[in-house]
Amino acid sequence: MRRLQFALFTGILFVATLISANIVRGDTAQALSAANWNAGRIIDDRIFADSQAISVSQIQAFLNAKVPSCDTNGSKSSSHWYDAGGRYYTRAEWGAISGNPAPYVCLKDYVENLSTGQNNLGSPGASVPGGLSAAQIIAGASTQYSINPEVIVVLLQKEQSLVTDDWPWVTQYKKATGAFCPDTAPCDVQHAGFGNQVYSAARLFRNYIDNPGQYNHAPGNNNILYNPNADCGRSIVHIETRATAALYNYTPYQPNAAALANLYGSGDGCSSYGNRNFWRMFNDWFGSTTGSVSVVKKSNDATIYFRDKNTIRPIPSMSVLEAWGFTGDMVSTLDDTTFNTLSVVTPNLSRVVKVTGTSDIFFVDGGNHYYVNPAVAGLRGFSASTALGLPATTIQSTFGKGNLSAAVTAASGDTSVYIIDGAQKRGFTSMTVLKAWLGSSPTITRLSNSYVGALASAPNISLNRIEHNGSTYLVDGKKKLPLSANAGAIYPGSTTAVSANIDGYLATGPGPKQLARAANGSVYLIDAGIKHPVGSLKVANAWKSGEYANLSNHSLSLIPTGSTWSKNIVRKNDGSIYLVDSKKYLIPTDLTAAYLGGTTAPTVSDNLLALLPNSAGPASGFLKATTNSTIYLADYGKKRPISSFTSYSLLNGARNETITNLRSDTLSLISSGPVVNSLPSDGSGGLHVFDNGSYYSLAPDIAQEWQAASSAALHATSLSRYVGLGALGNKLRDGSTYGVAYDGKFYRSSSLARTAMWGLNDTSTQAVSSAVLSTFKSTGGLTRFIKKNNSLDSTVYLIDNNQLFPIASMNLYVSLGPDSIAYLPESVISTLDSSTNASFATTTAGETYVFDNGKKRIIESSYVNFWFTSGNAPASYSSEFLSLMPNNSALRRVIRTSDGSMYVMDAGQKRPIRSYSSFASNFASEGYSNISNSLAHLIPTGADF
Amino acid sequence: MKNKKILIISIVAFTLLASGTVYALVGRNPSSGGPEASPVMTTERGQTIDMSPGTEEDNQEINEKKVPGGMDDKPIVSDTIQVTITRTNQDSAKTLQVRSLLSGLTAGTCRLTLSKGYATIEKTAPVSLQNTGYVCDGFDIAASEFAGNSGNWSLELSVASTDNKTQSVQQDITIEL
């Protein structure tokens, strides 16, 4: 017993626990209650007429969700018992008995051709040519008659449960919306069928809304029955909205208390459910049928108020009324009693509002609200300080449509896109202009026709140049790019004056200059209103001073396109020529040909050139890359590498032209020519030697000595820039250095003695710079001996006084030498006198010398006659030559060779002395002189002494 | 021994209550593994749409009609005509609009009689169908017909069906001109 008591207690406790849990969870709570029912305001006009509330796909998704699985074949059990079978009939069996056999097509799968009425009710899988889904039909009717598709969906459910029925009968489709189906009479067959019913219902609703006065129910006081049976009673209902009146015109009964007391069930015999169910289903599926706001007026008072709960605010105009999504037809006339319960607040309702306590501005139009960011607020002249502060819920009673953009268009009809400048609209003449202004994907807010239409029209915007307060700008992608006077002159088009609003809306970007760059990297040179595609990055860099103007394709497309630009040498209108390398170098007139050659520089505007800074000085005839040491000579449109710095010095010299340093890219734009040096030809056979910035000309024979024939030609126009100094020979001097050029080799010496031997002196030579002398391929010293460079002739000559003396023997050469031998062309040697053979002795300045082994030995005057006779007189070599020979001891009459042989000179011969005693007895008092064997061999031998 | 039983009972009771409370609290929060919230679809405008499947209750009424003849159109069963004046109001042009809802007939004639003293205005109109109900096909009496005679008027609406059944209603209205 106690166990039973315990079990019973425990069971009671368990049940109590479950009950308590359910109370806490509140699962049975209903969102909607009878208290929410307002017979005069079942649904608001704005909601009822919102034809774009949901899309076709959303309608389809909704229908799919409501019937996840359609019992197409009726295989589920019905609720009807089949006695013979001892089971419930299947739906198919029961449908067949009732005249509605399977298959069954759920609304989500229904297809109908609206023109023919053909549908798939008899064959769910069959194709219906031209068929539309139920969702498409609903959306189509909604759009055509401006009725919320949700209204039609609810209508289909409250009339025939078509939305949720998973085995609907054909009969349900025939009178799907109950249109033209009297409660007390058969349906009108002319309006039967799903598509027909949907379109009929939508059309009826639209008629009821547009013309309420023509029908039984209209906003205002109405006598509305509870049931088709008038004996069930009626009540006066003050209908507040046209949509509510439309519902009553469609179904002319209101729920009685019993029906409201059981919202999801039945009432009593006098109940009706049509409008109750519509209200309930809409609330359950799609949310509230009423907004928090409405528009009202008082009887006999024209003032229209915006009602927000229990406050009303004057609406200053129909424009504002429509902005909030209302029309004049939606204004509910309140009876005095109701009206007097409301508090009037000010100021008037506005299109420009903000959430109270914030500075977030919203613009209201067409029943929508748009957030207005600060930039657009400035453009539109909106200010948080003057915007009407409203609760967020009030603003949200309109549909949020995102941000208000700078560009707007009308909802329909007028396809122009405008930017609203204060209270004016300015149309863009093309999408290109629009996109140039506001970017490639501009957001365009679609505002009501009435609002856009009412705005005053200012001149259209046909270009992206604006002016405000004396400043000119190029507009690109919501930015204004300041145009200097010169930049403004090279960009095309006229300038449109804009207001401070537009000026302030546009952010300031960097001012464009002569180069504009597209998003794809293409660079254009702008001039005279034309954009020229720049042929290469090198050209672009040459013209680049500062940054590129990065412009949108749309802005660029507003600039006409010209020919491709590949030049950086241009002509100004006054004829002056400039080289452009981030700055402009004036090319002096005498250098024009050097830079342009035979071409013509394109003419550019003065404004374009003015955008480039001036170089420190004009362009010179010499060019160099900043990154390379090679110096170039500008020569008839080409840059010619100068072979050496020496050549550059010779070419420039006293001209003192500066070298124009260019970036290597820019330099590369000038075509290259062959290397040039300071010995150029003139292209017509003439050869020239540059020295100190001037040039000499070389006669052909002299040119051979210079060996300048291989030098590249310099254009005559370049040569003409230089001063010609006349002909230049091959005997040259540089200060104390004298020399002569032979066959490309320069023989030189600073020894006066040697130069004299070669006949070089101030008179016979031309003064040139040492640099010129250094241009010779090789140099040599001025020697005493010369030989033909023809190996077949071994004659060696002594040169003295610019005369050649053939040396007849090696012994003589040894005596006169030693010294190096200059090998000269035969042509040179043949020009010199060589008729007199060289001698081993000379009488110079009254003294007679004999050359012995490279030294000079004086012969005492008393012995001269023994050494020489009139038949073999000594030569007369120059004192300079003589000075080159070192001294050795004087020679006497008796000479002795290295082998001890002794001779006595007599009449120009050497007579052997055969014995020492003979010497001793005859010449001991004179003594003897030792001589070389070479010299000894040069003296003829006579008879023994 | 008795105290021990009381103790055990108390423990069991506490445990059950506690578990019930926990179930309730946990069940409130869908993320805690309780019953899932109804599926919804949110539109671009922020509207939340219930996407839960239809229920048996949703289809109960229609299923009850799914019997032989259950969906057939209903014939008129009333023997009497019923007339309800749904509204009488003057529009902005002061035209009087008199609208009515009828039952018990599908065709016939309506007669509107307005009288004030010796003044009488009479109008007739056919019975017509306005979607789901039959109505007198509109009585619009222009302000001029009242000849400046504003004030309270007596209104009588009489309806006669084609099978000679009749019905009439009366009411007073105030005319402002």
Side-chain angles (χ1 to χ4, degrees):
Chain A
M1 185 61 185
R2 283 184 178 176
R3 284 183 180 173
L4 183 61
Q5 285 177 342
F6 177 73
L8 187 61
F9 175 80
T10 304
I12 293 170
L13 194 60
F14 180 72
V15 171
T17 302
L18 290 179
I19 292 170
S20 73
N22 271 331
I23 291 170
V24 173
R25 291 189 62 186
D27 282 347
T28 57
Q30 297 287 346
L32 208 58
S33 74
N36 302 120
W37 169 258
N38 179 349
R41 190 181 175 192
I42 300 174
I43 188 168
D44 280 0
D45 294 343
R46 284 195 304 173
I47 295 173
F48 197 83
D50 184 11
S51 61
Q52 304 303 312
I54 51 175
S55 64
V56 172
S57 60
Q58 289 170 328
I59 297 169
Q60 185 64 55
F62 180 81
L63 297 179
N64 294 344
K66 289 303 172 189
V67 181
S69 175
C70 185
D71 190 12
T72 305
N73 297 318
S75 56
K76 290 183 180 178
S77 293
S78 71
S79 58
H80 303 280
W81 182 253
Y82 176 31
D83 280 335
R87 59 174 173 80
Y88 287 98
Y89 285 105
T90 65
R91 287 171 168 178
E93 291 169 341
W94 182 253
I97 292 170
S98 305
N100 286 278
Y104 304 111
V105 177
C106 294
L107 188 59
K108 65 174 183 173
D109 304 318
Y110 180 77
V111 177
E112 178 183 326
N113 182 317
L114 291 178
S115 299
T116 64
Q118 182 186 354
N119 58 55
N120 64 343
L121 287 176
S123 180
S127 171
V128 179
L132 300 175
S133 68
Q136 289 173 314
I137 292 169
I138 292 167
S142 298
T143 301
Q144 181 168 338
Y145 295 108
S146 294
I147 300 297
N148 189 335
E150 295 164 346
V151 167
I152 297 176
V153 168
V154 170
L155 187 65
L156 291 166
Q157 178 66 10
K158 73 117 169 166
E159 292 290 338
Q160 295 296 333
S161 300
L162 273 174
V163 176
T164 58
D165 197 348
D166 61 348
W167 63 302
W169 289 5
V170 173
T171 311
Q172 293 169 252
Y173 282 97
K174 285 183 177 176
K175 45 187 179 182
T177 63
F180 298 99
C181 283
D183 296 301
T184 56
C187 294
D188 181 351
V189 294
Q190 291 186 351
H191 297 91
F194 181 79
N196 219 345
Q197 282 280 288
V198 169
Y199 271 81
S200 293
R203 185 171 61 252
L204 283 171
F205 280 140
R206 177 46 53 195
N207 277 336
Y208 295 151
I209 290 171
D210 290 345
N211 309 290
Q214 295 180 11
Y215 297 99
N216 261 15
H217 298 289
N221 285 337
N222 290 258
N223 210 2
I224 300 180
L225 298 171
Y226 291 114
N227 189 278
N229 181 359
D231 293 339
C232 286
R234 72 201 70 175
S235 73
I236 300 296
V237 175
H238 186 87
I239 296 177
E240 296 182 24
T241 70
R242 289 191 174 205
T244 301
L247 288 176
Y248 283 122
N249 282 322
Y250 198 93
T251 305
Y253 312 107
Q254 61 172 315
N256 65 2
L260 293 172
N262 187 11
L263 279 182
Y264 290 84
S266 301
D268 57 22
C270 279
S271 292
S272 66
Y273 308 102
N275 285 318
R276 182 204 70 170
N277 287 352
F278 177 90
W279 172 74
R280 188 198 70 207
M281 291 172 182
F282 197 104
N283 272 276
D284 286 350
W285 285 353
F286 301 114
S288 177
T289 55
T290 57
S292 62
V293 299
S294 60
V295 283
V296 300
K297 67 184 286 293
K298 185 181 179 181
S299 300
N300 303 320
D301 185 347
T303 305
I304 300 173
Y305 295 88
F306 178 76
R307 179 178 177 178
D308 186 4
K309 298 185 176 65
N310 293 321
T311 63
I312 54 176
R313 184 185 300 274
I315 297 176
S317 66
M318 289 301 290
S319 170
V320 174
L321 180 139
E322 290 173 357
W324 282 81
F326 299 100
T327 64
D329 298 337
M330 297 180 185
V331 180
S332 299
T333 301
L334 302 181
D335 56 58
D336 288 356
T337 304
T338 304
F339 187 88
N340 291 334
T341 63
L342 305 174
S343 301
V344 179
V345 294
T346 55
N348 290 349
L349 188 65
S350 169
R351 285 175 173 275
V352 184
V353 298
K354 66 180 177 183
V355 177
T356 302
T358 75
S359 57
D360 292 336
I361 301 174
F362 295 89
F363 180 72
V364 179
D365 179 71
N368 305 308
H369 66 263
Y370 304 85
Y371 172 69
V372 186
N373 66 39
V376 175
L379 174 67
R380 303 295 303 274
F382 299 160
S383 163
S385 62
T386 57
L388 174 64
L390 293 174
T393 53
T394 304
I395 298 172
Q396 287 164 359
S397 68
T398 58
F399 293 113
K401 282 290 191 75
N403 291 351
L404 179 66
S405 57
V408 302
T409 188
S412 61
D414 181 2
T415 57
S416 299
V417 179
Y418 302 95
I419 187 168
I420 300 181
D421 179 5
Q424 292 183 319
K425 62 176 184 277
R426 307 193 67 160
F428 292 99
T429 54
S430 70
M431 284 302 289
T432 301
V433 176
L434 166 67
K435 291 179 177 181
W437 272 65
L438 301 175
S440 58
S441 301
T443 305
I444 302 172
T445 303
R446 193 173 290 276
L447 298 178
S448 65
N449 291 352
S450 58
Y451 177 74
V452 175
L455 290 167
S457 293
N460 284 345
I461 295 170
S462 59
L463 206 57
N464 58 340
R465 284 175 63 112
I466 62 169
E467 180 273 330
H468 180 67
N469 272 354
S471 297
T472 304
Y473 304 91
L474 190 71
V475 179
D476 183 59
K478 298 183 182 176
K479 288 183 178 175
K480 59 174 191 247
L481 315 177
L483 287 168
S484 64
N486 290 315
I490 65 171
Y491 280 85
S494 57
T495 303
T496 301
V498 298
S499 67
N501 287 358
I502 288 181
D503 181 69
Y505 171 73
L506 300 168
T508 302
K513 297 180 75 177
Q514 65 277 13
L515 285 180
R517 183 167 59 186
N520 65 2
S522 298
V523 177
Y524 300 89
L525 179 70
I526 313 293
D527 189 34
I530 305 285
K531 69 174 188 294
H532 298 272
V534 175
S536 70
L537 186 61
K538 292 177 180 177
V539 176
N541 285 334
W543 283 92
K544 187 180 177 189
S545 64
E547 294 302 313
Y548 292 116
N550 291 308
L551 299 181
S552 68
N553 290 337
H554 305 289
S555 288
L556 285 169
S557 67
L558 293 173
I559 306 172
T561 303
S563 56
T564 299
W565 196 270
S566 58
K567 302 286 188 182
N568 69 326
I569 300 175
V570 293
R571 180 184 302 273
K572 200 175 170 182
N573 282 316
D574 65 4
S576 51
I577 309 292
Y578 289 87
L579 168 69
V580 175
D581 180 34
S582 298
K583 46 193 163 189
K584 59 179 181 292
Y585 296 79
L586 175 65
I587 298 176
T589 305
D590 65 337
L591 278 172
T592 300
Y595 277 93
L596 288 175
T599 65
T600 303
T603 301
V604 298
S605 71
D606 293 0
N607 294 295
L608 172 61
L609 285 173
L611 289 168
L612 294 162
N614 291 315
S615 63
S620 83
F622 300 102
L623 301 167
K624 192 175 89 63
T626 54
T627 55
N628 194 297
S629 60
T630 302
I631 301 171
Y632 299 85
L633 177 70
D635 178 38
Y636 204 63
K638 296 187 185 310
K639 65 174 188 299
R640 303 184 61 176
I642 299 174
S643 60
S644 66
F645 189 79
T646 299
S647 290
Y648 158 70
S649 300
L650 292 168
L651 289 164
N652 192 7
R655 296 176 67 88
N656 285 325
E657 288 186 29
T658 57
I659 299 174
T660 298
N661 281 283
L662 302 176
R663 289 175 309 105
S664 58
D665 276 356
T666 305
L667 190 63
S668 69
L669 293 173
I670 303 173
S671 59
S672 296
V675 173
V676 65
N677 58 24
S678 59
L679 300 169
S681 72
D682 57 14
S684 57
L687 293 170
H688 309 280
V689 175
F690 272 81
D691 186 18
N692 201 28
S694 300
Y695 70 92
Y696 296 95
S697 298
L698 300 176
D701 56 332
I702 300 299
Q704 170 59 30
E705 309 306 348
W706 282 83
Q707 286 197 352
S710 61
S711 184
L714 197 62
H715 196 270
T717 56
S718 295
L719 205 58
S720 67
R721 296 174 52 221
Y722 296 87
V723 174
L725 299 175
L728 187 66
N730 66 329
K731 294 180 179 177
L732 310 169
R733 72 172 181 274
D734 168 31
S736 61
T737 299
Y738 294 76
V740 58
Y742 287 129
D743 203 22
K745 186 171 183 178
F746 190 67
Y747 298 89
R748 56 188 289 174
S749 176
S750 58
S751 163
L752 288 176
R754 290 178 182 270
T755 55
M757 290 170 61
W758 285 66
L760 302 175
N761 52 49
D762 287 349
T763 302
S764 65
T765 61
Q766 290 173 282
V768 295
S769 68
S770 59
V772 169
L773 300 181
S774 70
T775 59
F776 287 98
K777 294 176 183 175
S778 61
T779 57
L782 294 177
T783 67
R784 280 172 285 175
F785 303 109
I786 290 174
K787 183 179 180 296
K788 293 179 183 175
N789 59 8
N790 180 354
S791 60
L792 297 177
D793 185 349
S794 60
T795 304
V796 176
Y797 301 89
L798 173 70
I799 184 169
D800 186 34
N801 283 324
N802 202 29
Q803 181 179 348
L804 298 181
F805 300 90
I807 298 173
S809 68
M810 179 57 70
N811 288 325
L812 180 56
Y813 171 73
V814 170
S815 296
L816 294 170
D819 200 352
S820 56
I821 300 172
Y823 290 81
L824 298 182
E826 184 172 1
S827 59
V828 173
I829 292 175
S830 64
T831 63
L832 299 176
D833 179 9
S834 59
S835 57
T836 304
N837 286 334
S839 169
F840 65 91
T842 183
T843 299
T844 302
E847 300 286 351
T848 299
Y849 298 88
V850 169
F851 302 105
D852 181 13
N853 207 18
K855 295 178 181 177
K856 66 177 183 289
R857 307 183 73 168
I858 193 169
I859 300 175
E860 293 175 7
S861 58
S862 58
Y863 299 133
V864 171
N865 290 332
F866 295 106
W867 279 77
F868 302 101
T869 64
S870 57
N872 68 338
S876 297
Y877 295 140
S878 67
S879 58
E880 289 82 4
F881 172 69
L882 202 61
S883 67
L884 293 175
M885 306 296 282
N887 292 318
N888 202 347
S889 59
L891 290 175
R892 296 174 180 138
R893 189 170 54 164
V894 177
I895 56 176
R896 182 177 180 271
T897 60
S898 59
D899 61 359
S901 298
M902 301 185 73
Y903 304 88
V904 61
M905 294 300 299
D906 181 22
Q909 296 181 323
K910 64 179 187 290
R911 297 177 65 187
I913 300 174
R914 296 299 177 186
S915 66
Y916 184 77
S917 60
S918 179
F919 166 73
S921 60
N922 292 296
F923 304 109
S925 59
E926 295 178 19
Y928 62 87
S929 299
N930 290 318
I931 64 169
S932 67
N933 290 337
S934 297
L935 176 59
H937 284 113
L938 293 173
I939 303 169
T941 303
D944 290 351
F945 179 76
Chain B
M1 186 64 184
K2 186 178 181 181
N3 291 339
K4 189 175 182 180
K5 286 182 179 176
I6 292 172
L7 179 62
I8 291 171
I9 290 169
S10 299
I11 292 172
V12 171
F14 176 78
T15 303
L16 287 170
L17 282 170
S19 61
T21 304
V22 168
Y23 165 68
L25 292 175
V26 170
R28 282 184 155 207
N29 184 355
S31 64
S32 301
E36 291 184 3
S38 296
V40 296
M41 171 171 65
T42 303
T43 68
E44 292 78 3
R45 295 178 174 181
Q47 183 186 10
T48 300
I49 297 175
D50 173 27
M51 301 293 278
S52 59
T55 64
E56 287 189 13
E57 289 72 22
D58 291 332
N59 299 320
Q60 182 178 346
E61 182 181 352
I62 195 68
N63 284 336
E64 287 173 355
K65 292 181 180 176
K66 289 178 179 174
V67 294
M71 293 189 183
D72 292 348
D73 293 331
K74 300 295 185 294
I76 298 172
V77 295
S78 174
D79 291 333
T80 59
I81 295 174
Q82 292 183 315
V83 180
T84 302
I85 296 175
T86 56
R87 64 184 176 95
T88 58
N89 62 285
Q90 291 178 272
D91 65 12
S92 57
K94 301 300 183 185
T95 297
L96 175 66
Q97 297 176 335
V98 178
R99 300 291 184 264
S100 58
L101 181 63
L102 312 176
S103 64
L105 78 171
T106 58
T109 304
C110 300
R111 179 185 298 277
L112 176 68
T113 304
L114 293 162
S115 58
K116 181 182 179 187
Y118 297 106
T120 299
I121 300 171
E122 284 194 357
K123 297 285 181 180
T124 59
V127 171
S128 66
L129 177 64
Q130 180 182 301
N131 195 28
T132 57
Y134 288 91
V135 301
C136 294
D137 196 13
F139 287 114
D140 293 335
I141 300 95
S144 58
E145 296 189 55
F146 291 98
N149 197 350
S150 58
N152 291 333
W153 285 67
S154 176
L155 180 155
E156 180 178 9
L157 179 61
S158 300
V159 179
S161 67
T162 51
D163 56 358
N164 295 321
K165 290 186 285 189
T166 61
Q167 183 63 274
S168 64
V169 293
Q170 291 181 329
Q171 75 176 62
D172 292 338
I173 61 171
T174 300
I175 298 299
E176 297 176 349
L177 298 173

